[in-house]
Amino acid sequence: MTHDSAGENAGARPFMVRRKGWAMLRREHGHTPQHFPARRSLECGVIEFRHVSLEYPVTRTLALDDLNLHIGKGEFTYLVGHSGAGKSSFMNLVLKRALPSKGEVRVAGESLNRYRGRRTALLRRRMGTVFQENLLLAHLNAFDNVAFALRVTGVPQREWAQRVTLALRTVGLEHKKYALPLQLSQGEQQRVAIARAIVSNPPLLLADEPTGNLDPDNSREVLKVLQNVNLRGTTVVVATHAKDLVETYRHRTLTLRKGRLVRDDPYGGYAL
Ligand SMILES: Nc1ncnc2c1ncn2[C@@H]1O[C@H](COP(=O)(O)OP(=O)(O)OP(=O)(O)O)[C@@H](O)[C@H]1O
């Protein structure tokens, strides 16, 4: 569940709305499970850290220190903390780009220790990711940038146009589908990157500093888009330094300090 007890989004997400959102998405996307082998297991969208520590081997930096937390299906969660607190390390563990030195990371109820090779690749494909640098392909327009992400997911080509259009509509950029990245503002580019991340309907979206390069107006737009994605049923985790956003659009907020979880505030708030 989400925790919108304050701020602009207060009380805006009753359970039925989210249920309806999923049903609607399934209909519109014509989802068939065989295209997404890892979907069923990820659908509960849960992240669980059990006594997780991460020490980077060469420098012996303890980036995360005995982290215990649980993020439930459909939650919108911020991860905040000073530079070097461990936010990106957290994301890397969930994506299995790094391995814990101690403890266990579980996604959708299953330990990532059990994921190997192809399964790990499938798991990553089922997670949408958005980073500060959106890395759109400069020679492709917005539509093709989003469609490009479908190539690796096994979605039949005949479904691409419908899915891409829906993803661009979700981020409010259907009318800019023929624009090249350079013809879009930074904020619009980031929204295309979000469309790319959600086009295959991920149950879980990880956003690491998604507003890091954006001015306040564009940052708010991007945050609203992420909230809309969450409304449609996707579990969203946003690592951010954007104090004003965290305080305006309130959601559960996890605060890291030197790799330790020092606050877990269900009603949000930015207090480092
Ligand atoms: N690949 C790496 N090798 C060694 N140390 C690393 C590596 N990546 C990160 N660190 C260190 O781990 C700690 C946590 O870094 P991390 O990038 O997770 O922090 P962060 O909260 O995301 O910081 P920022 O807000 O600046 O992005 C820092 O001390 C950092 O220097």
Side-chain angles (χ1 to χ4, degrees):
M1 67 175 266
T2 49
H3 309 276
D4 292 330
S5 67
E8 183 174 306
N9 207 34
R13 281 184 277 165
F15 181 63
M16 287 309 289
V17 171
R18 187 170 297 127
R19 288 283 297 256
K20 192 176 168 196
W22 262 114
M24 190 179 71
L25 267 179
R26 281 171 192 286
R27 259 201 320 278
E28 290 181 0
H29 283 292
H31 162 68
T32 47
Q34 65 267 30
H35 302 142
F36 304 107
R39 162 171 279 282
R40 192 173 301 158
S41 62
L42 246 185
E43 215 163 56
C44 40
V46 177
I47 297 171
E48 199 180 345
F49 276 48
R50 294 184 179 173
H51 297 288
V52 172
S53 296
L54 170 60
E55 184 181 75
Y56 287 104
V58 179
T59 58
R60 311 283 309 267
T61 306
L62 187 60
L64 294 173
D65 185 5
D66 196 27
L67 221 57
N68 289 290
L69 59 88
H70 181 281
I71 294 174
K73 179 181 175 181
E75 279 195 285
F76 189 115
T77 305
Y78 293 116
L79 196 57
V80 303
H82 290 298
S83 181
K87 303 180 293 296
S88 299
S89 299
F90 173 94
M91 298 291 191
N92 287 336
L93 285 175
V94 178
L95 286 161
K96 214 182 173 197
R97 288 183 182 154
L99 299 174
S101 357
K102 282 189 202 153
E104 188 181 37
V105 177
R106 297 172 75 86
V107 173
E110 193 174 356
S111 171
L112 293 193
N113 296 339
R114 296 190 188 181
Y115 281 77
R116 298 269 186 279
R118 188 171 143 69
R119 266 193 95 207
T120 307
L122 286 171
L123 175 90
R124 286 186 191 134
R125 272 183 221 161
R126 293 304 311 132
M127 298 188 203
T129 50
V130 180
F131 299 105
Q132 182 168 341
E133 306 294 337
N134 59 58
L135 299 179
L136 297 179
L137 297 166
H139 62 290
L140 296 182
N141 65 32
F143 186 97
D144 290 335
N145 259 288
V146 177
F148 195 80
L150 288 176
R151 281 179 206 276
V152 292
T153 60
V155 175
Q157 207 165 346
R158 63 177 182 280
E159 289 182 19
W160 287 12
Q162 190 189 6
R163 283 176 173 249
V164 172
T165 301
L166 181 65
L168 285 172
R169 195 180 301 152
T170 303
V171 302
L173 285 178
E174 202 182 346
H175 61 297
K176 299 259 179 163
K177 62 182 172 184
Y178 298 121
L180 292 169
L182 274 178
Q183 296 165 333
L184 297 169
S185 73
Q186 292 273 312
E188 288 169 338
Q189 288 182 40
Q190 193 58 302
R191 280 151 63 196
V192 173
I194 295 172
R196 181 179 59 184
I198 63 170
V199 71
S200 48
N201 246 350
L204 177 60
L205 181 67
L206 302 173
D208 196 353
E209 289 293 344
T211 63
N213 285 335
L214 305 180
D215 63 28
D217 284 347
N218 277 316
S219 297
R220 278 192 289 276
E221 281 307 311
V222 163
L223 211 281
K224 285 177 189 168
V225 165
L226 290 172
Q227 290 188 150
N228 280 340
V229 171
N230 176 243
L231 259 176
R232 288 168 171 250
T234 301
T235 304
V236 176
V237 182
V238 181
T240 185
H241 287 286
K243 179 175 189 223
D244 51 333
L245 292 183
V246 174
E247 290 193 331
T248 305
Y249 304 95
R250 291 213 168 209
H251 298 280
R252 180 185 179 191
T253 303
L254 304 173
T255 305
L256 294 176
R257 189 181 300 148
K258 294 182 180 169
R260 293 191 73 92
L261 181 66
V262 293
R263 265 173 84 94
D264 179 354
D265 189 342
Y267 304 111
Y270 192 93
L272 299 187

